[in-house]
Amino acid sequence: MATVDRWQLPDGVEEVLPAQALVVERLRRQLLDLYRSWGYQLVIPPLMEFTESLLIGLGSDLDLLTFRMTDQLSGRTLGIRADITPQVARIDAHSLAETGITRLCYAGSTLHTRPQSLLASRSPIQVGAELYGDDTLAADVEVIRLMLATLDTVGMHEMTLDLGHVGVYEAVLANAGLDGEREATVFDALQRKSRPDLELALADMDPAIIRLITGLLDLHGDESVLDGARATFAEAVPEALAAVDALQQVAAAIRRLRPGLTIYFDLAELRGYHYHTGIVFAAYVPDHGQALANGGRYNNVGKVFSRARPATGFATDLKALMTLFSVTQIERGAISAPDLDTPGLVARVGELRAAGEVVISCLSGSPDPRCDRQLVEVDNEWLLQPLQS
């Protein structure tokens, strides 16, 4: 009989040990305080829901990422959330049902059936913010600014903002008139940025359509990309120009506030295409291949809850942010206290803890290794002194 290593965890599922947990929790508090200062209210959705509400509206990718089980009380299928965004959309549409603009934020664990990228966790701790009830570019700009402020909190001031708009792809595909099966093949090739596969999928199409669709692969880079897009689409697909103009307006608004920010445009960016309806964006930092945070506009997801609403938002993974944050930036030494219950010592320890200090009772005569100071009684007064090594 094979032996079982009971300490092993599933691939892609990791525990967060004390030093890293300190970073994660400090970041969680700082980010939720940041979002609150911008007017975003905290919500805490449940870890699981009926799949009928959990999986509707955000496409097949989320469906494949979701663990399922049978509810023993109702017999219905439950899903463990792989993304908190649809839960927050349900809260806005059904549980709150407010008029006007609603700003919500959240932080919580999620679970994926498989990693979304080679090095991604299957148990990310998702934190993010969503803005409902405003369909203007100003709302997209606000959410992008908040995403960038999130990375500022981690100390990542050198970053690249990636901007795209699904309206460009939608207009080009509508003009091409592809059937469902071919469109799926084209979408897959574009998503992988595979020119050979894309050309193969379009081999028997009109040369003008082939040039138009394959041309999307070249529309990435600095702001000159937008001029190239206008030249490409002006006559063939004028419907795409509104999306190009929107990208330029959003970039200009962000640059006014962050003139040193690098902005990269990618008009073939199809992340979240199946539910995004407008601007899509992501933030990258040096030496980190994957986007640290991403989001976009996803209007009308609340329609499945009988209340369609404009919506835009972003999310990031606290575990990914943790890897960029030095523990020494937040960790302080602790204070060792004798294991006594004298009133004076108890009162002094209480004062220090209330002031944010870590005070650890010295059990078995040995101070905790984290301690760099100690409480010593001098003339009936408990004073702090350096801990002698």
Side-chain angles (χ1 to χ4, degrees):
M1 181 177 179
T3 60
V4 177
D5 293 324
R6 290 178 171 81
W7 52 267
Q8 285 189 333
L9 292 171
D11 289 344
V13 176
E14 59 285 310
E15 55 206 356
V16 183
L17 299 178
Q20 291 75 30
L22 176 67
V23 176
V24 168
E25 179 59 15
R26 182 66 61 89
L27 282 173
R28 186 189 69 84
R29 295 179 190 181
Q30 288 178 333
L31 292 178
L32 291 179
D33 285 345
L34 170 69
Y35 303 157
R36 180 177 179 273
S37 73
W38 285 53
Y40 288 75
Q41 301 176 89
L42 177 65
V43 292
I44 306 177
L47 183 62
M48 62 183 183
E49 293 194 35
F50 293 121
T51 53
E52 292 94 324
S53 61
L54 190 64
L55 300 181
I56 290 178
L58 292 190
S60 58
D61 292 345
L62 185 62
D63 192 12
L64 294 173
L65 285 174
T66 302
F67 281 98
R68 293 170 172 77
M69 68 187 75
T70 301
D71 182 12
Q72 295 188 19
L73 296 182
S74 67
R76 296 167 62 187
T77 302
L78 296 170
I80 300 175
R81 65 187 181 199
D83 186 343
I84 300 179
T85 303
Q87 296 184 292
V88 182
R90 175 186 54 75
I91 289 172
D92 169 71
H94 179 71
S95 302
L96 293 177
E98 297 174 342
T99 58
I101 297 174
T102 301
R103 294 175 170 88
L104 301 175
C105 64
Y106 58 85
S109 294
T110 58
L111 195 62
H112 296 168
T113 56
R114 56 190 179 185
Q116 289 188 285
S117 62
L118 186 61
L119 299 178
S121 171
R122 292 173 62 199
S123 56
I125 302 174
Q126 186 178 334
V127 60
E130 316 291 335
L131 192 156
Y132 300 96
D134 191 302
D135 201 19
T136 67
L137 292 178
D140 295 305
V141 170
E142 176 178 313
V143 169
I144 292 171
R145 289 179 57 206
L146 187 55
M147 179 183 72
L148 298 175
T150 295
L151 298 189
D152 287 337
T153 300
V154 192
M156 299 306 300
H157 304 300
E158 184 182 352
M159 63 186 89
T160 296
L161 173 64
D162 188 288
L163 287 178
H165 197 302
V166 300
V168 173
Y169 172 76
E170 288 177 337
V172 170
L173 265 289
N175 177 269
L178 304 182
D179 59 39
E181 184 177 348
R182 192 193 297 257
E183 182 177 345
T185 304
V186 166
F187 171 82
D188 179 66
L190 277 172
Q191 196 171 36
R192 292 183 289 108
K193 305 292 194 289
S194 174
R195 188 179 298 273
D197 289 345
L198 187 58
E199 291 174 345
L200 181 63
L202 299 169
D204 60 345
M205 299 291 294
D206 183 288
I209 292 177
I210 295 175
R211 286 193 298 272
L212 198 61
I213 296 177
T214 56
L216 289 172
L217 294 175
D218 300 319
L219 293 176
H220 60 87
D222 61 22
E223 197 156 357
S224 63
V225 165
L226 302 184
D227 294 331
R230 289 191 180 92
T232 300
F233 301 136
E235 294 186 9
V237 195
E239 298 83 0
L241 297 182
V244 176
D245 291 341
L247 284 171
Q248 188 152 45
Q249 291 174 50
V250 167
I254 296 295
R255 280 207 179 94
R256 284 195 294 271
L257 298 164
R258 303 180 74 113
L261 179 69
T262 300
I263 299 180
Y264 185 89
F265 298 90
D266 187 349
L267 303 196
E269 174 54 65
L270 300 177
R271 180 184 57 253
Y273 166 71
H274 294 296
Y275 65 93
H276 279 140
T277 60
I279 294 280
V280 291
F281 44 84
Y284 293 84
V285 300
D287 302 321
H288 196 87
Q290 301 295 321
L292 270 185
N294 54 63
R297 179 160 289 281
Y298 58 104
N299 291 353
N300 302 324
V301 168
K303 185 177 181 180
V304 297
F305 306 110
S306 301
R307 192 165 182 258
R309 292 261 279 171
T312 181
F314 80 93
T316 184
D317 175 15
L318 282 177
K319 287 185 179 178
L321 296 183
M322 172 190 71
T323 64
L324 305 176
F325 204 88
S326 172
V327 176
T328 58
Q329 291 178 259
I330 63 171
E331 196 164 21
R332 298 161 57 187
I335 298 167
S336 179
D339 184 27
L340 303 172
D341 59 2
T342 57
L345 177 60
V346 171
R348 181 66 172 133
V349 168
E351 291 171 1
L352 290 167
R353 287 173 174 162
E357 295 282 3
V358 175
V359 184
I360 304 173
S361 293
C362 182
L363 304 178
S364 304
S366 298
D368 188 282
R370 291 167 288 174
C371 295
D372 59 4
R373 290 158 292 161
Q374 62 183 338
L375 280 170
V376 177
E377 189 176 24
V378 179
D379 297 330
N380 295 320
E381 186 176 358
W382 289 95
L383 304 178
L384 278 177
Q385 295 184 1
L387 184 64
Q388 302 299 321
S389 58

